[in-house]
Amino acid sequence: MTFSPISRRTALKLSAGALAGGIACPAILRAAPKEIVLGGPAGAAKYFNADVFPLIKKMLDVSILYEGTNSLTNLQKMQADKGAPKMSVVIMDDPVMLPAAAEGLITPMKAANVPNLGKLVPDAIHRDGMWANYQKPWVGIAYSTKRMPAAPTDWSALWEPKYAQKIIVPSLQNTEGFWVLLAAAHLETGKPYKEAQYDIDAAFKKLKSLKPNLLNVYTNAPQAMNILEQGEAWMIGGQFSAYTLIRKADGSPVDLAIPKDGGFSMPSGIAKVTGAPGGDTAEAVINAFLSPEVQTLLATKAFVAPTNATVPTPAGYPASDSLFAPDWAFIAKERAGWVDRWIKEMA
């Protein structure tokens, strides 16, 4: 998989506001804060801090302080800080954006301040601009090439007895934890994902039988990837392309497989926090995330599909018919109960 890097000349053009994406907003930023807090996934911290934020700094002359955790934790932070928010921008998975919008924790973006909203693919803008999807990672089974010369071929591989205490899965406190739950429902019922996603009792029944194979259940994605890199774990069930393939590109002995019974896709959302201390600077940062320049960089560094329609999907991205997108509204409604059940039944 090969991508073309962003040139220094392009980055310099960005800082001058010469590109027609509405990136540089001098009128907005002249008296605005030069530093804002952005909350997002822990697994993105490395390439955000090393690549994305420096590019945005050149674009806007704004520094970003990053708080990396999982989406539920960011939601809880916003709930706790509702009267005096610390974050100005938040990146969360779509099923967590839904309750954030319902509770008034995020606020609609102004189209005049985020002109790149007009360049996004269909269905990338939600709830009249409450949030927008800035990337589309894909999901499969991450595996150690040090331990496994051949990729796992289907989701049932996680349950094979020969992998006793060699498997890691995400907790349901992490959004990616749903993928193993969905695979379990599919395997237990024999139904396609579109139907199996609603059969949660069957999913938990199958999950319980995975316990002998579990080495660890994680809430911190980077730590889990470290264990996989070291070869202590052989597979991580339900892992994102952005977390796995970036490490493969850096030379780590890991890879990501699309099982023959299908992989998954999940758009990642970005939003302005209600009462954001960064004011309009928050929207300028969001606009930068949606720009062709940052979207191209994300495709290069994180191996994700862009949502800006002017940016091509990277070579090697799985065909859309091999990726299933679940019913996020159903997940958002039921997730709290599933997390409690997970804690009780999978401890």
Side-chain angles (χ1 to χ4, degrees), residues 81-149:
D81 298 337
K82 188 172 183 179
K86 297 179 179 65
M87 290 186 288
S88 290
V89 177
V90 67
I91 288 175
M92 299 191 298
D93 305 317
D94 278 17
V96 186
M97 286 291 191
L98 288 166
E103 295 179 34
L105 300 173
I106 56 177
T107 189
M109 295 170 280
K110 301 172 186 174
N113 291 350
V114 192
N116 281 317
L117 288 171
K119 296 183 178 181
L120 301 188
V121 298
D123 301 322
I125 302 172
H126 304 275
R127 302 292 176 94
D128 297 320
M130 279 282 194
W131 79 90
N133 297 130
Y134 74 97
Q135 66 175 18
K136 293 182 179 181
W138 60 275
V139 177
I141 299 175
Y143 66 99
S144 167
T145 55
K146 182 188 298 184
R147 299 294 189 184
M148 301 177 65

Side-chain angles (χ1 to χ4, degrees), residues 308-333:
N308 187 311
T310 68
V311 180
T313 298
Y317 192 87
S320 59
D321 60 2
S322 69
L323 302 175
F324 174 73
D327 182 344
W328 293 121
F330 171 69
I331 295 170
K333 180 181 177 182

Side-chain angles (χ1 to χ4, degrees), residues 36-329:
I36 67 168
V37 177
L38 187 155
K46 182 178 179 180
Y47 61 89
F48 274 7
N49 285 317
D51 302 291
V52 176
F53 296 160
L55 179 55
I56 293 176
K57 172 76 171 177
K58 291 179 180 178
M59 290 173 164
L60 305 175
D61 191 27
V62 171
S63 297
I64 298 174
L65 299 179
Y66 190 60
E67 293 189 359
T69 180
N70 60 54
S71 292
L72 277 182
T73 300
N74 275 325
L75 178 65
Q76 291 163 357
K77 286 181 179 181
M78 288 192 293
Q79 290 168 333
D81 298 337
K82 188 172 183 179
K86 297 179 179 65
M87 290 186 288
S88 290
V89 177
V90 67
I91 288 175
M92 299 191 298
D93 305 317
D94 278 17
V96 186
M97 286 291 191
L98 288 166
E103 295 179 34
L105 300 173
I106 56 177
T107 189
M109 295 170 280
K110 301 172 186 174
N113 291 350
V114 192
N116 281 317
L117 288 171
K119 296 183 178 181
L120 301 188
V121 298
D123 301 322
I125 302 172
H126 304 275
R127 302 292 176 94
D128 297 320
M130 279 282 194
W131 79 90
N133 297 130
Y134 74 97
Q135 66 175 18
K136 293 182 179 181
W138 60 275
V139 177
I141 299 175
Y143 66 99
S144 167
T145 55
K146 182 188 298 184
R147 299 294 189 184
M148 301 177 65
T153 58
D154 53 48
W155 288 99
S156 64
L158 299 175
W159 277 262
E160 292 182 20
K162 65 182 178 180
Y163 298 123
Q165 296 188 335
K166 294 180 172 65
I167 306 299
I168 293 178
V169 297
S171 165
L172 269 180
Q173 293 171 283
N174 291 43
T175 304
E176 66 264 32
F178 177 70
W179 306 123
V180 177
L181 191 72
L182 178 55
H186 160 68
L187 293 171
E188 182 66 21
T189 64
K191 297 176 182 178
Y193 296 123
K194 187 175 181 180
E195 299 173 24
Q197 65 181 320
Y198 302 111
D199 202 334
I200 299 303
D201 287 337
F204 275 99
K205 179 182 177 182
K206 184 67 175 178
L207 270 181
K208 288 179 183 178
S209 67
L210 183 61
K211 285 185 178 182
N213 282 11
L214 292 182
L215 172 67
N216 193 10
V217 175
Y218 79 79
T219 55
N220 185 295
Q223 290 178 2
M225 288 302 302
N226 289 344
I227 296 172
L228 186 71
E229 285 180 332
Q230 293 161 7
E232 186 177 352
W234 290 36
M235 287 183 277
I236 299 179
Q239 192 53 278
F240 289 120
S241 56
Y243 295 175
T244 309
L245 297 181
I246 190 170
R247 297 205 179 207
K248 177 186 176 183
D250 286 341
S252 295
V254 298
D255 207 343
L256 191 64
I258 300 181
K260 65 184 180 183
D261 41 353
F264 307 113
S265 68
M266 186 190 70
S268 300
I270 188 167
K272 181 181 180 180
V273 177
T274 301
D280 288 341
T281 303
E283 289 175 306
V285 169
I286 292 171
N287 192 55
F289 262 91
L290 302 178
S291 70
E293 296 71 33
V294 171
Q295 295 262 301
T296 300
L297 180 59
L298 286 168
T300 304
K301 292 293 182 180
F303 304 94
V304 297
T307 57
N308 187 311
T310 68
V311 180
T313 298
Y317 192 87
S320 59
D321 60 2
S322 69
L323 302 175
F324 174 73
D327 182 344
W328 293 121

Side-chain angles (χ1 to χ4, degrees), residues 5-17:
I6 292 177
S7 68
R8 176 176 174 81
R9 178 176 296 177
T10 299
L12 291 173
K13 286 182 179 180
L14 291 172
S15 65

